[in-house]
Amino acid sequence: MYSVLMSTPERLIEATRELLWERGYGGTSPKAIQQHAGAGQGSMYHHFTGKPDLALAAIRRTATELRAAAEVAFGGGGTAYERIAAYLLRERDVLRGCPVGRLTMDPEVIASAELRAPVDETIEWLRGRLADIVQEGLDRGEFRASVVPEEIAAAVVATVQGGYVLARASGSPAAFDAGVRGLLSLLAPPADESASRTA
């Protein structure tokens, strides 16, 4: 399943990431990880102290990749609105859900301060980054003065995570797409304001 060039620890981490996404922490057994990674029990315990240690490495990797993917949109050119839109409209496997967001519904992850930490940190980073971008837009007169950056950031995160849930429940990405379109229409400055700024 994985490249022969990947080291055993890399295969174990990648296998754990996939299984956590598909099955959650409780459904991801050491045996399933080993089979998925094509690694023996001895190899797993040589590199990791156990399932929690390996799961933490996998969650951290997933969180790092989510931040990097979001930053591609956030760090692009354009107005604050365009950068937020780029994040909301970026390519996603909507029906699989968010690999980080789904962990918030995993009771064993939430019960562990260590496993929960990278999830909490990632969500807080995302909200903070979005709030900063909205503030940039406010400073440039791109948004209505009544806009509160932290509230918009919370709305964006809630729309994305809620959109995943609705899409999975309906078996169609249409619900996710509708939520994104609705949020963008609410966030977009009125046409007359846009025209006056560009005149």
Side-chain angles (χ1 to χ4, degrees):
M1 179 172 187
Y2 301 111
S3 166
V4 293
L5 300 176
M6 290 176 71
S7 67
T8 300
E10 286 294 308
R11 293 201 313 274
L12 287 164
I13 290 171
E14 289 302 314
T16 305
R17 292 177 65 200
E18 285 292 319
L19 291 168
L20 285 173
W21 197 357
E22 292 170 6
R23 307 178 185 182
Y25 186 86
T28 300
S29 67
K31 184 176 181 180
I33 294 168
Q34 293 157 24
Q35 290 176 340
H36 209 65
Q41 182 176 355
S43 296
M44 177 174 166
Y45 289 100
H46 174 71
H47 296 289
F48 301 94
T49 58
K51 175 182 165 181
D53 184 37
L54 181 50
L56 181 59
I59 292 169
R60 284 178 174 159
R61 171 88 47 93
T62 297
T64 297
E65 288 195 1
L66 185 146
R67 290 189 190 199
E71 191 56 44
V72 170
F74 295 152
T79 65
Y81 175 85
E82 288 166 346
R83 289 153 62 200
I84 293 170
Y87 167 72
L88 287 169
L89 297 169
R90 74 178 178 83
E91 190 68 30
R92 290 177 169 86
D93 190 351
V94 174
L95 295 181
R96 286 193 75 188
C98 174
V100 171
R102 286 186 70 180
L103 293 171
T104 65
M105 296 180 282
D106 192 311
E108 291 179 80
V109 171
I110 295 305
S112 166
E114 191 173 31
L115 293 177
R116 191 178 69 246
V119 176
D120 292 343
E121 289 163 9
T122 299
I123 293 171
E124 282 307 303
W125 173 86
L126 187 57
R127 290 174 64 172
R129 191 74 177 89
L130 282 160
D132 288 345
I133 292 170
V134 175
Q135 185 62 59
E136 290 175 27
L138 273 172
D139 294 343
R140 295 175 186 154
E142 297 174 19
F143 299 126
R144 292 179 291 275
S146 59
V147 163
V148 178
E150 292 76 16
E151 292 178 358
I152 296 300
V156 171
V157 174
T159 297
V160 170
Q161 295 302 323
Y164 281 128
V165 172
L166 294 175
R168 285 172 60 80
S170 65
S172 167
F176 183 98
D177 296 340
V180 165
R181 288 194 306 270
L183 179 59
L184 287 174
S185 69
L186 291 172
L187 189 56
D192 57 342
E193 289 184 18
S194 297
S196 64
R197 285 197 302 271
T198 56

